[in-house]
Amino acid sequence: MRKLSSLVDRVRHSAIREMLKEVAELRLKGYDIIQLSTGQPSLPIDEEVLEYLIEEMRRNRLLASSYTPTKGLRSVLEAIQNDLKVFGNIDVALNELVITEGATEGLLLIALTILDRDDELIIMDPSYVSYPQDAVIAGAKPVFVEENIEEGFQPNINRILEHITPKTKAILLATPDNPTGRILRKDVAKALIDISEDHDIWLVIDEAYKHLIYEGEHFWFWREDRARERTICVNTFSKDPAMTGFRLGYVYGPKEVIAAIEKFKQYSTLSSNTPAQIAAVYYLKPEVKKRILEYTLRIYKSRRDKMYEAVKQYLPEAVTIKPEGAMYLFANMKNYLRKVNLSDQEFMVKLVKEKHVAVVAGSSFGEKGKDHIRFTFVGEPEDRIEKGIKLIKEFIDEKID
Amino acid sequence: MRKLSSLVDRVRHSAIREMLKEVAELRLKGYDIIQLSTGQPSLPIDEEVLEYLIEEMRRNRLLASSYTPTKGLRSVLEAIQNDLKVFGNIDVALNELVITEGATEGLLLIALTILDRDDELIIMDPSYVSYPQDAVIAGAKPVFVEENIEEGFQPNINRILEHITPKTKAILLATPDNPTGRILRKDVAKALIDISEDHDIWLVIDEAYKHLIYEGEHFWFWREDRARERTICVNTFSKDPAMTGFRLGYVYGPKEVIAAIEKFKQYSTLSSNTPAQIAAVYYLKPEVKKRILEYTLRIYKSRRDKMYEAVKQYLPEAVTIKPEGAMYLFANMKNYLRKVNLSDQEFMVKLVKEKHVAVVAGSSFGEKGKDHIRFTFVGEPEDRIEKGIKLIKEFIDEKID
């Protein structure tokens, strides 16, 4: 066989996606899997949103199945514009906005847009699995800057400054964060804007979880006039409206960046799927979104509390902090992993096979994630969250014996 | 502003997408546009397919809005497997198959999978707009080989051989072809397999239009055992079932290639949207697909005939052949363009502004497409096709006066 490109070897599998595949296969075999791994909420799309979509698809079958402009339907772009005004109090022009296939496509196209071969992209360690891979696909180099639990997983500004070189093109991070659940502190955010200005560096902010906040509040970079010129924000409809399988997101940023993303999107997905855009228009009606957010946050917060309590009760040697946002509790499991003599990756693999509890190994999120486990708290109701954590305790106890 | 990547300058806009945007904007202003430009059928998704999707979404709201495995839902993969057996009499294993976001994502991920920096990809000139851009995004070099009307737009094997170098990694072409409507002749297809074997070169076959054939038949490369090792086939649900806006396609090929595409897809779109996969399962029931194909082909064939007649009648100096497949009539308009003193690009731009008839300039498909115009014949009913061609005659006549 003719050989494949060298990129095939340089890009790593997503541990989250591999676990999703594993879970799907175990479920096909009839096993009941407790799903504490992927960022898939167990809440379905809102019924009213779905019924609106159904009505619209029936009303205009041709439009519902036709291509939209690559940038997105005018109606969804205007709805997003309004949404950012209502919830973020920020003004975004239509040429500063483009629809994407979830945050995933947005992140890849941003990488292609701002990173040249051998450029450096600063990302936090640990952080979401796609960040370094997007840099590699763009031919650039991911540079990792440690975040740790002692510092509440806040980016350490001095440590970032130490990693800046003439090749540094951008800093990419999420708030609220995946996998740590940390919300960016206001003073840290402002220091990042300073760095961006001083060193003429892009800031890429992954806002996928901006509405999933249980304590504190989201820092909207675009509210700071001086930040707008160099800040690109990535968003998704996968998380707060639980429309993961609909694959829709958007990016807002400087218009030159958006124009380039739109151009690349002509060759990555051509246009985003039309049904998702129609559904999003309805979800973005402020009263609809407020109702869904209220409902969703109440459930997620309660599950977060249950997860935190269960970990404290059954896994007292796990070191963790209560996540303020997002969907994940990130725990340092070093004490247990030493006792059972397993790496975090081995722990993940054996746990799902033996106890049918799916989690994600911390080292999937970077070297500094080693010895950690990411527990998703939105994928199961409270009783099953508790059951899952108890099974993990059982798994550990059995391995120690 | 911090500068953008050099890739932004190296990748060209899609003329088709730009025209779609122009048409959308003119329509927003209230103009009635005759749409002979994009590959958007004027037929909507089949009502029965849509109703099945609606029923399934209501029946399992959580599944309908959840992520699927990156490779695709098991049910859709199995339905495709069966479909390829029923319609193509070929056996494709599940690990030789992956779902994509239309053919567009498939083509880009294939480029990333097989092309290294500075590799050469042989493509026909003219050919579909994304082919050279995908090569450029992968860091490779598109090498253009002329196809011309005198040779019935068949690839010329000797001309291809002249362009092969040690850097040639693949040959990419479509059958039926966009923009020319040409169906690959069996002897030419077999000669391409010979080249692929002799020079250890990938063959990438874009089968987007494989069911839209009015005369002749599709050559299924995978029916030839010796072709399977090096042939990758790209498919879409955008064309025969008219599900363009649903954004679903698939690729089949050697399992190593499919595994690499699946890995890249984790970072391009994560997974394809779930509603489209559910709809595809129903469309792929052989009796459903046969019914829809019969209906669709009858309408498209009749439109093709009308378009051909109208061009012959109103634009007798246009040089063209009756397209055997796909959705397009590709005409050499040199005589007229000289008379009105416009390039094909200028002709396209002025025509839509002045007469509200949208077409695509031939040079968008390559240098050899210069002086040609691509007319889509599936986007309008017959009376409007005729009206559009008459308006083009009128446009030309006015410019000559």
Side-chain angles (χ1 to χ4, degrees):
Chain A
M1 197 186 69
R2 187 81 163 118
K3 78 174 166 50
L4 302 181
S5 74
S6 63
L7 191 62
V8 175
D9 292 329
R10 285 182 285 127
V11 169
R12 285 183 55 181
H13 278 106
S14 156
I16 304 170
R17 288 270 104 195
E18 296 298 309
M19 181 49 78
L20 186 144
K21 192 156 68 173
E22 177 80 18
V23 167
E25 277 163 20
L26 286 167
R27 281 178 175 161
L28 270 179
K29 288 180 189 157
Y31 292 112
D32 173 31
I33 306 294
I34 296 186
Q35 203 290 92
L36 312 178
S37 59
T38 69
Q40 173 63 53
S42 71
L43 302 182
I45 185 174
D46 179 71
E47 193 168 358
E48 220 178 274
V49 174
L50 182 62
E51 289 302 319
Y52 172 83
L53 168 60
I54 289 171
E55 199 180 311
E56 285 299 298
M57 288 198 298
R58 281 180 172 154
R59 197 175 63 79
N60 195 339
R61 201 148 39 98
L62 179 56
L63 176 73
S65 54
S66 291
Y67 290 126
T68 64
T70 301
K71 256 183 92 67
L73 281 173
R74 175 66 77 111
S75 55
V76 78
L77 294 171
E78 287 175 351
I80 292 167
Q81 225 180 4
N82 183 59
D83 177 78
L84 290 168
K85 185 70 186 170
V86 169
F87 286 88
N89 195 26
I90 55 176
D91 293 298
V92 176
L94 284 182
N95 63 2
E96 294 169 326
L97 186 59
V98 62
I99 283 290
T100 57
E101 212 70 10
T104 304
E105 188 190 29
L107 288 161
L108 177 61
L109 299 188
I110 289 169
L112 294 177
T113 296
I114 63 175
L115 298 177
D116 256 313
R117 179 148 300 263
D118 301 325
D119 278 349
E120 293 171 4
L121 171 70
I122 289 184
I123 60 185
M124 306 302 114
D125 182 357
S127 65
Y128 181 54
V129 295
S130 79
Y131 301 167
Q133 308 310 321
D134 291 334
V136 169
I137 292 172
K141 194 181 143 194
V143 171
F144 299 94
V145 176
E146 179 183 351
E147 280 185 359
N148 58 48
I149 201 164
E150 293 76 23
E151 297 167 351
F153 294 117
Q154 290 292 329
N156 180 311
I157 295 300
N158 286 329
R159 214 178 288 132
I160 289 176
L161 284 169
E162 283 163 18
H163 285 82
I164 286 178
T165 75
K167 294 219 170 250
T168 307
K169 201 75 174 285
I171 300 170
L172 161 58
L173 52 80
T175 179
D177 188 40
N178 175 6
T180 70
R182 166 278 286 144
I183 296 174
L184 205 59
R185 236 171 38 218
K186 197 171 171 181
D187 61 305
V188 177
K190 294 208 168 187
L192 286 169
I193 300 174
D194 293 339
I195 295 180
S196 161
E197 284 193 319
D198 295 347
H199 297 266
D200 195 15
I201 289 173
W202 296 106
L203 282 183
V204 183
I205 306 299
D206 182 347
E207 297 190 304
Y209 302 96
K210 68 179 185 287
H211 289 305
L212 300 185
I213 290 186
Y214 315 105
E215 285 96 25
E217 58 180 307
H218 183 61
F219 183 85
W220 296 81
F221 280 77
W222 265 48
R223 262 198 222 152
E224 311 286 310
D225 277 344
R226 67 191 182 107
R228 294 170 68 118
E229 196 192 327
R230 290 184 192 79
T231 307
I232 309 162
C233 296
V234 187
N235 286 268
T236 182
F237 292 92
S238 293
K239 304 306 176 183
D240 40 287
M243 284 163 51
T244 57
F246 274 51
R247 313 305 307 122
L248 193 69
Y250 61 91
V251 176
Y252 60 94
K255 64 180 192 298
E256 296 83 357
V257 172
I258 297 305
I261 292 173
E262 182 189 353
K263 183 164 68 171
F264 288 136
K265 186 174 165 66
Q266 297 179 335
Y267 306 111
S268 56
T269 57
L270 207 70
S271 61
S272 285
N273 78 86
T274 312
Q277 295 182 62
I278 295 171
V281 167
Y282 191 83
Y283 172 68
L284 290 172
K285 286 175 191 286
E287 69 283 9
V288 173
K289 179 162 166 177
K290 277 174 191 161
R291 171 178 62 74
I292 294 174
L293 276 182
E294 203 179 316
Y295 170 78
T296 305
L297 281 169
R298 187 159 36 80
I299 293 175
Y300 288 178
K301 187 173 189 218
S302 169
R303 290 182 181 181
R304 191 255 339 229
D305 293 343
K306 170 56 72 183
M307 170 75 85
Y308 185 71
E309 279 163 30
V311 168
K312 284 284 164 210
Q313 181 178 351
Y314 299 107
L315 303 170
E317 292 179 51
V319 182
T320 189
I321 50 176
K322 206 181 207 179
E324 299 171 307
M327 301 176 159
Y328 317 102
L329 182 143
F330 199 62
N332 187 331
M333 299 280 285
K334 195 170 175 174
N335 285 343
Y336 294 115
L337 292 171
R338 292 297 168 277
K339 286 182 189 171
V340 298
N341 198 25
L342 293 172
S343 72
D344 58 329
Q345 295 286 342
E346 292 162 343
F347 185 89
M348 165 178 75
V349 170
K350 283 187 194 290
L351 181 65
V352 74
K353 283 204 197 311
E354 295 178 21
K355 296 291 176 187
H356 303 142
V357 177
V359 298
V360 181
S363 59
S364 313
F365 302 95
E367 211 181 296
K368 303 295 177 191
K370 207 182 134 205
D371 292 334
H372 292 67
I373 293 289
R374 189 190 78 167
F375 302 95
T376 301
F377 55 77
V378 303
E380 296 283 1
E382 289 171 42
D383 55 333
R384 283 173 60 89
I385 287 175
E386 182 164 14
K387 186 176 167 199
I389 302 297
K390 271 165 95 169
L391 281 167
I392 294 173
K393 176 188 162 43
E394 200 177 291
F395 173 80
I396 293 170
D397 288 347
E398 286 169 15
K399 288 271 176 292
I400 293 175
D401 289 347
Chain B
M1 197 185 68
R2 188 81 163 118
K3 79 174 165 51
L4 302 181
S5 74
S6 63
L7 191 63
V8 175
D9 292 328
R10 284 183 286 127
V11 169
R12 285 182 55 181
H13 279 104
S14 156
I16 305 170
R17 288 272 104 195
E18 295 299 308
M19 181 50 78
L20 187 143
K21 192 157 67 174
E22 176 80 19
V23 167
E25 278 163 20
L26 286 167
R27 281 178 175 160
L28 270 179
K29 287 180 190 156
Y31 294 112
D32 172 31
I33 306 294
I34 296 187
Q35 203 288 93
L36 312 178
S37 60
T38 69
Q40 172 63 53
S42 72
L43 302 182
I45 184 173
D46 179 72
E47 193 168 0
E48 220 179 273
V49 174
L50 182 62
E51 289 303 319
Y52 173 83
L53 168 62
I54 288 171
E55 199 180 311
E56 283 300 297
M57 288 198 299
R58 280 182 172 152
R59 197 175 63 78
N60 195 339
R61 201 149 39 99
L62 179 56
L63 177 73
S65 54
S66 290
Y67 290 127
T68 64
T70 301
K71 256 183 94 64
L73 281 173
R74 175 66 77 112
S75 55
V76 76
L77 294 171
E78 288 175 351
I80 292 168
Q81 224 180 4
N82 183 59
D83 177 77
L84 289 169
K85 185 70 185 169
V86 169
F87 286 88
N89 193 27
I90 55 176
D91 293 298
V92 176
L94 285 182
N95 63 3
E96 294 169 325
L97 187 59
V98 62
I99 282 292
T100 57
E101 212 71 10
T104 305
E105 188 190 28
L107 287 161
L108 177 62
L109 299 189
I110 288 169
L112 293 177
T113 296
I114 63 174
L115 299 176
D116 256 312
R117 179 149 301 262
D118 302 326
D119 279 348
E120 293 171 5
L121 171 70
I122 289 183
I123 61 184
M124 305 303 112
D125 182 357
S127 65
Y128 182 54
V129 296
S130 78
Y131 301 167
Q133 308 311 320
D134 291 334
V136 169
I137 293 172
K141 193 181 144 196
V143 172
F144 300 94
V145 175
E146 179 183 352
E147 279 183 359
N148 58 48
I149 201 164
E150 293 76 23
E151 297 167 353
F153 293 117
Q154 290 293 330
N156 180 310
I157 295 300
N158 286 330
R159 213 178 290 132
I160 289 176
L161 284 169
E162 284 164 18
H163 285 81
I164 287 179
T165 76
K167 293 220 171 249
T168 307
K169 202 74 173 288
I171 300 171
L172 161 58
L173 52 80
T175 181
D177 188 40
N178 175 7
T180 70
R182 168 276 288 145
I183 295 174
L184 205 59
R185 237 169 40 215
K186 197 172 171 181
D187 61 305
V188 177
K190 294 207 169 188
L192 286 169
I193 300 174
D194 292 339
I195 295 181
S196 161
E197 283 194 319
D198 295 347
H199 297 268
D200 195 16
I201 289 174
W202 296 105
L203 281 184
V204 183
I205 307 299
D206 183 346
E207 297 190 303
Y209 302 97
K210 68 179 185 289
H211 289 304
L212 300 185
I213 290 186
Y214 314 106
E215 285 95 25
E217 58 179 307
H218 183 60
F219 183 85
W220 296 82
F221 281 78
W222 264 48
R223 262 198 221 153
E224 312 285 312
D225 277 344
R226 67 191 181 105
R228 294 170 69 116
E229 196 192 327
R230 290 183 192 81
T231 307
I232 308 162
C233 296
V234 187
N235 286 268
T236 181
F237 291 92
S238 293
K239 305 306 177 183
D240 40 288
M243 285 162 52
T244 57
F246 275 51
R247 313 304 308 121
L248 193 69
Y250 60 92
V251 175
Y252 61 93
K255 64 179 193 296
E256 297 82 357
V257 172
I258 298 303
I261 292 173
E262 182 188 354
K263 184 163 68 169
F264 287 136
K265 186 174 164 69
Q266 296 179 335
Y267 306 111
S268 55
T269 57
L270 207 69
S271 61
S272 285
N273 77 87
T274 312
Q277 294 182 63
I278 295 171
V281 167
Y282 191 82
Y283 172 67
L284 290 171
K285 287 175 191 287
E287 69 285 7
V288 174
K289 180 162 165 177
K290 277 174 191 160
R291 171 179 63 74
I292 294 174
L293 277 183
E294 203 179 316
Y295 170 77
T296 305
L297 281 169
R298 186 159 37 80
I299 292 174
Y300 288 179
K301 187 171 190 225
S302 169
R303 290 182 182 181
R304 192 259 330 234
D305 293 343
K306 170 57 72 184
M307 170 75 85
Y308 186 71
E309 279 163 32
V311 168
K312 284 284 165 210
Q313 182 178 350
Y314 299 107
L315 303 170
E317 292 179 51
V319 181
T320 190
I321 48 175
K322 206 180 205 179
E324 298 170 309
M327 300 175 159
Y328 317 102
L329 183 141
F330 198 62
N332 186 330
M333 299 279 284
K334 196 170 175 174
N335 285 343
Y336 293 116
L337 294 170
R338 291 297 169 275
K339 286 182 188 170
V340 299
N341 197 26
L342 293 173
S343 71
D344 59 329
Q345 295 286 342
E346 292 163 342
F347 186 90
M348 165 178 76
V349 170
K350 281 187 196 289
L351 180 66
V352 74
K353 283 204 195 313
E354 296 178 20
K355 296 290 176 187
H356 303 140
V357 178
V359 298
V360 181
S363 59
S364 313
F365 302 96
E367 210 181 296
K368 303 295 177 190
K370 208 182 136 205
D371 292 336
H372 292 67
I373 294 290
R374 188 189 79 168
F375 302 95
T376 301
F377 56 77
V378 303
E380 296 284 0
E382 289 170 42
D383 57 332
R384 284 172 61 88
I385 287 175
E386 182 164 13
K387 187 177 166 199
I389 302 297
K390 270 164 95 170
L391 282 166
I392 294 173
K393 176 187 160 45
E394 199 177 290
F395 173 80
I396 293 171
D397 287 347
E398 287 169 14
K399 288 271 178 289
I400 294 175
D401 289 347

